Amino acid sequence: MWASALIATLFVQTVSSFSSMALPLLGPPLMARSGLSPESIGYVSALTSGGISWFLACGGPMLGHFGAVRSLQIGLACMAAGLLLMAQPVGLVALLGALAIGFGCGPNTPAGSQILIRTAPPRHRTLIFSIKQAGVPLGGAIAGLAIAPLVQHHGLQAALWTITGVTLASILLVQPFRRRLDGGPATAVGGHWGRALFSPRVFLRSLGVLKAHPSLPLLTALGASYSTLQACLMAFTATYAVTRHGATLAEAGGIVAVMQFSSMIGRVLMGWVADRRGRALRHLALQALASAAAVALLLVAGSAGGLALYACAALVGFTAIGWNGVHIAELARVAPLPLVSDVTSAASLFGFLGSIGGPLAFAGLVRWTGSYEIAFLSAALQLALFGAISFLVLGRQGRAGRRATQGEVE
């Protein structure tokens, strides 16, 4: 059962990542077609993150009604519809497409967590969650290698149609897993899931579940900080390579692919380490400091171009984008079992709010300073700050725990 669950969730995660990564990789031609500056792709990425946040905030009843696998299929259909809208030359329609793509990505984290927490063996749980989350960089790496040649040989419009076709085919391929993994009828909340998507009360209730465990607020804040840096890296690395290093679109795609492949290795390896060492929150705090240092190295050593740029991109991928599996697994571990999908949705919501604000602030900094380097360093610095704060909080909790133990002994 756990193998079927992992295959299904990894496959959908990979396809979703492949389709959503099309937007930043196609950023230069998409923005040029609309008469916008290259850094304006940050606003499209922010809108995509807004769509994800919308589902995470209000999509719980929809997930309860349709079941996890069916919700993943509906998400793929929304992504395909969004890609079709992105293929249209009208700017407003394309922006609606970005929102639909984000909404379609939304079910991946809560639905995947709901499936895996029921089936994954506890001693390998973090590793299995990390393998599933490795689908994000795997899909991004495939996109980095495939999309630029598609555009060069067949044009922007044909590339968008091809990505749409892959997304639609995936809906059919995941269907055999539905009966086994969803199991059982729809829940009683089904009649209200449509209204819940627009209900402020559902949104506020979804945030309340973060009080279910003392570690959840710190985990949520650290995840939001990671997400902010990751969103900036994903939205702007290709454009940075093209505009600052004179890379071609294919070369920029290769740099993104290296970053994504390295992230895939990082997620799996970090999950394996976390299963054996424990203390996942301390692990995430340490990795935050390493991630900020890697971004700084990318800007310094990577400015030499060539192999140095690829090597630094790999290091950034391993650290700054290789965190998510450990984070999601720890959220699922500390959450009460009936609230696993709700907790991961709420925590991921704050992460995607960072994914909205990060690219927006990044684009504004580039416009204001004319420097991608300052914007990247600012994104890295905020993560280093949250990592340091996490260490301080963990240290205080450890000292309080030791004092309590000594008091009981006395």
Side-chain angles (χ1 to χ4, degrees), residues 339-356:
L339 297 177
V340 167
S341 62
D342 293 330
V343 166
T344 52
S345 288
S348 298
L349 170 62
F350 281 96
F352 282 105
L353 291 177
S355 297
I356 297 171

Side-chain angles (χ1 to χ4, degrees), residues 10-101:
L10 175 61
F11 175 72
V12 175
Q13 186 75 77
T14 302
V15 173
S16 296
S17 176
F18 169 77
S19 302
S20 61
M21 273 301 296
L23 297 185
L25 287 169
L26 294 174
L30 274 175
M31 296 302 98
R33 185 179 70 171
S34 302
L36 300 172
S37 60
E39 66 269 16
S40 297
I41 189 62
Y43 302 122
V44 176
S45 294
L47 195 56
T48 302
S49 296
I52 298 174
S53 300
W54 179 18
F55 182 90
L56 293 174
C58 302
M62 174 180 160
L63 178 59
H65 174 54
F66 289 105
V69 176
R70 179 62 84 200
S71 295
L72 292 174
Q73 291 176 303
I74 293 171
L76 289 169
C78 288
M79 295 189 74
L83 287 164
L84 287 174
L85 292 174
M86 289 294 299
Q88 309 307 311
V90 180
L92 181 58
V93 173
L95 290 177
L96 290 175
L99 185 66
I101 290 171

Side-chain angles (χ1 to χ4, degrees), residues 34 42 57 217 219 224 230 236 278 296 328 368 373 384 388:
S34 302
L219 269 170
Q230 179 175 318
F236 293 101
I328 295 296
W368 181 45
E373 289 77 11

Side-chain angles (χ1 to χ4, degrees), residues 21-206:
M21 273 301 296
L23 297 185
L25 287 169
L26 294 174
L30 274 175
M31 296 302 98
R33 185 179 70 171
S34 302
L36 300 172
S37 60
E39 66 269 16
S40 297
I41 189 62
Y43 302 122
V44 176
S45 294
L47 195 56
T48 302
S49 296
I52 298 174
S53 300
W54 179 18
F55 182 90
L56 293 174
C58 302
M62 174 180 160
L63 178 59
H65 174 54
F66 289 105
V69 176
R70 179 62 84 200
S71 295
L72 292 174
Q73 291 176 303
I74 293 171
L76 289 169
C78 288
M79 295 189 74
L83 287 164
L84 287 174
L85 292 174
M86 289 294 299
Q88 309 307 311
V90 180
L92 181 58
V93 173
L95 290 177
L96 290 175
L99 185 66
I101 290 171
F103 187 86
C105 284
N108 284 317
T109 296
S113 297
Q114 185 182 102
I115 293 169
L116 292 178
I117 199 66
R118 296 197 312 257
T119 59
R123 65 194 182 99
H124 299 304
R125 182 177 294 151
T126 306
L127 176 60
I128 289 171
F129 270 80
S130 296
I131 292 172
K132 179 261 181 183
Q133 289 302 122
V136 176
L138 176 60
I142 295 171
L145 294 175
I147 288 177
L150 266 175
V151 175
Q152 289 175 349
H153 293 102
H154 303 287
L156 177 62
Q157 204 75 358
L160 287 167
W161 279 103
T162 301
I163 301 163
T164 303
V166 170
T167 308
L168 288 172
S170 301
I171 298 173
L172 300 177
L173 291 174
V174 80
Q175 177 63 25
F177 295 96
R178 181 174 176 254
R179 182 175 298 175
R180 188 176 186 192
L181 296 178
D182 274 353
T187 61
V189 299
H192 306 292
W193 69 267
R195 278 179 285 168
L197 291 176
F198 305 95
S199 170
R201 185 174 58 187
V202 171
F203 168 71
L204 293 174
R205 187 168 64 241
S206 72

Side-chain angles (χ1 to χ4, degrees), residues 358-395:
L360 289 175
F362 192 107
L365 269 175
V366 173
R367 285 182 178 274
W368 181 45
T369 65
S371 171
Y372 279 83
E373 289 77 11
I374 291 176
F376 273 124
L377 285 174
S378 299
L381 182 61
Q382 61 84 29
L383 179 58
L385 181 61
F386 272 99
I389 291 172
S390 298
F391 271 118
L392 290 174
V393 172
L394 289 170

Side-chain angles (χ1 to χ4, degrees), residues 178-274:
R178 181 174 176 254
R179 182 175 298 175
R180 188 176 186 192
L181 296 178
D182 274 353
T187 61
V189 299
H192 306 292
W193 69 267
R195 278 179 285 168
L197 291 176
F198 305 95
S199 170
R201 185 174 58 187
V202 171
F203 168 71
L204 293 174
R205 187 168 64 241
S206 72
L207 300 183
V209 298
L210 293 177
K211 301 175 182 177
H213 191 277
S215 297
L216 286 174
L218 182 58
L219 269 170
T220 300
L222 193 55
S225 181
Y226 266 113
S227 295
T228 299
L229 177 58
Q230 179 175 318
C232 293
L233 289 168
M234 291 296 94
F236 293 101
T237 296
T239 300
Y240 171 67
V242 171
T243 58
R244 291 297 186 267
H245 293 284
T248 65
L249 191 62
E251 289 170 339
I255 293 168
V256 171
V258 167
M259 187 182 293
Q260 295 281 25
F261 273 123
S262 177
S263 165
M264 181 176 60
I265 295 169
R267 291 186 186 212
V268 175
L269 181 59
M270 296 300 180
W272 180 82
V273 170

